[in-house]
Amino acid sequence: MVKKHMITCGLMLVILLTAKLFIFSSRINPIEVIKFNEQHPEKEIETVNYYQTLSFADENLPAQEVKVKWRMKKMLDSHKHSKLQTNKLHQKAAIWFPVMEPILKRYGIPADFKYMPLVESGLQAGTSPKGASGYWQFMPQTARDFGLRVNSEVDERQQVVKSTVAAAKYLRSLYKEFGSWTLAAAAYNIGEGSLKRQMARQDEDNYFRLKLNRETATYVYKLISMKEIIEKPRLYGYKGKASRKLEKKQPKTAYFKPVAQNTNMLAMQILQN
């Protein structure tokens, strides 16, 4: 009986060691990690390596800060296909990004700002209850300040090319004022005056550490999330050709590095598939 028990333990040890060797010598498919975490929420695999790759306008997400990582995870979860149930954002992006990208580039605006109209309006030419209108959701006076005609007869906020030029000029002025693209994005949302007051009151110039209203505090996280679901649709459950039109080719190295206690479980699951 003792001998049999020792043989069983030995076999288990061999399986576990093999699983560990497999998991660390093979590239881990991020989709498998996400599936694993959804099926085993109580034993979620650490994905900090992935979060550290996230950025907006070349400003890296400080994923080592617990609060930042928690907010980012929550926002990414809310942008999964299972929550949004649509590929329309991908379809509209495929149509309008080629129009917006060269305009942003001409004015020295990072390409990541093309995701702003997706967050602001879903790339729809509508008007909000507060009076903001168009793809970039300009308020009337701000639109006029940056060269758009807005009156009873004409509203150039609804014109993609002209409103994108105005947005590029506005963002450029915000960057000159704040010296940070994340702060420029926040100022676009809350207004430069309000952001300046909060920065002075809190003696803080880092967007991720500022205490702002809920909409502005999550604004950059929304932009990053929109960027992720457009560029990496399959990671978030989007399927079909429509969602892959702007998909970026992913690097060969895996973003996900499982923590020790979950390594064997994930390896066994992958081996069984």
Side-chain angles (χ1 to χ4, degrees):
M1 180 66 73
V2 174
K3 186 176 181 180
K4 185 177 180 181
H5 178 70
M6 290 177 66
I7 292 172
T8 302
C9 290
L11 286 171
M12 289 293 293
L13 182 59
V14 169
I15 291 172
L16 292 176
L17 287 173
T18 301
K20 281 194 174 184
L21 286 172
F22 174 84
I23 207 81
F24 287 109
S25 64
S26 303
R27 286 185 287 129
I28 303 303
N29 183 346
I31 296 174
E32 294 294 341
V33 177
I34 291 173
K35 287 180 181 177
F36 179 88
N37 286 344
E38 288 177 346
Q39 294 168 9
H40 307 277
E42 76 287 355
K43 299 174 182 176
E44 183 169 316
I45 292 173
E46 179 59 53
T47 55
V48 69
N49 286 7
Y50 171 67
Y51 288 101
Q52 287 175 345
T53 69
L54 302 181
S55 65
F56 178 74
D58 293 326
E59 293 183 25
N60 291 329
L61 182 80
Q64 69 278 6
E65 297 183 23
V66 176
K67 188 176 182 179
V68 170
K69 184 186 168 186
W70 177 82
R71 277 185 171 176
M72 191 71 255
K73 182 181 185 304
K74 187 176 179 181
M75 192 58 63
L76 284 168
D77 286 344
S78 71
H79 282 73
K80 289 180 180 178
H81 183 266
S82 59
K83 298 291 178 64
L84 297 182
Q85 296 290 326
T86 181
N87 287 336
K88 285 185 178 180
L89 294 175
H90 297 78
Q91 294 167 338
K92 290 181 178 180
I95 294 170
W96 293 114
F97 279 5
V99 176
M100 296 175 172
E101 287 170 338
I103 296 172
L104 295 174
K105 185 177 181 179
R106 189 190 314 155
Y107 287 90
I109 308 302
D112 283 353
F113 278 92
K114 65 190 175 189
Y115 296 102
M116 187 174 278
L118 280 174
V119 170
E120 288 285 338
S121 67
L123 280 173
Q124 297 182 88
T127 302
S128 76
K130 294 181 180 180
S133 187
Y135 295 85
W136 292 86
Q137 286 292 284
F138 271 112
M139 294 296 288
Q141 189 55 53
T142 306
R144 296 187 189 101
D145 290 343
F146 289 91
L148 296 179
R149 288 190 298 161
V150 180
N151 55 48
S152 59
E153 296 180 355
V154 180
D155 190 346
E156 291 183 339
R157 293 177 295 174
Q158 309 297 331
Q159 297 182 25
V160 175
V161 173
K162 289 185 177 181
S163 64
T164 301
V165 169
K169 291 178 179 178
Y170 185 27
L171 289 167
R172 187 171 61 179
S173 73
L174 290 173
Y175 181 74
K176 286 180 180 178
E177 188 170 356
F178 293 97
S180 159
W181 289 117
T182 49
L183 288 175
Y188 190 98
N189 178 257
I190 197 176
E192 53 265 48
S194 296
L195 184 60
K196 276 184 175 180
R197 287 191 291 274
Q198 289 298 329
M199 290 171 66
R201 187 177 298 132
Q202 299 175 44
D203 191 24
E204 180 60 71
D205 62 359
N206 184 316
Y207 166 80
F208 295 101
R209 291 175 185 161
L210 280 166
K211 295 178 181 178
L212 302 166
N213 66 70
R214 181 178 295 182
E215 182 181 342
T216 308
T218 60
Y219 193 66
V220 173
Y221 295 90
K222 288 178 183 177
L223 292 170
I224 294 174
S225 296
M226 196 64 72
K227 174 183 173 181
E228 289 300 292
I229 69 166
I230 297 296
E231 296 186 359
K232 303 167 190 170
R234 282 180 277 194
L235 287 184
Y236 298 96
Y238 293 87
K239 299 176 182 179
K241 292 182 181 179
S243 66
R244 295 177 188 173
K245 289 182 178 179
L246 298 173
E247 184 176 14
K248 295 291 179 69
K249 186 177 181 181
Q250 300 307 308
K252 292 182 179 180
T253 53
Y255 290 133
F256 297 88
K257 184 177 180 182
V259 293
Q261 68 262 31
N262 294 324
T263 296
N264 302 321
M265 294 181 68
L266 178 59
M268 294 303 293
Q269 178 175 308
I270 294 173
L271 283 168
Q272 289 170 3
N273 292 337

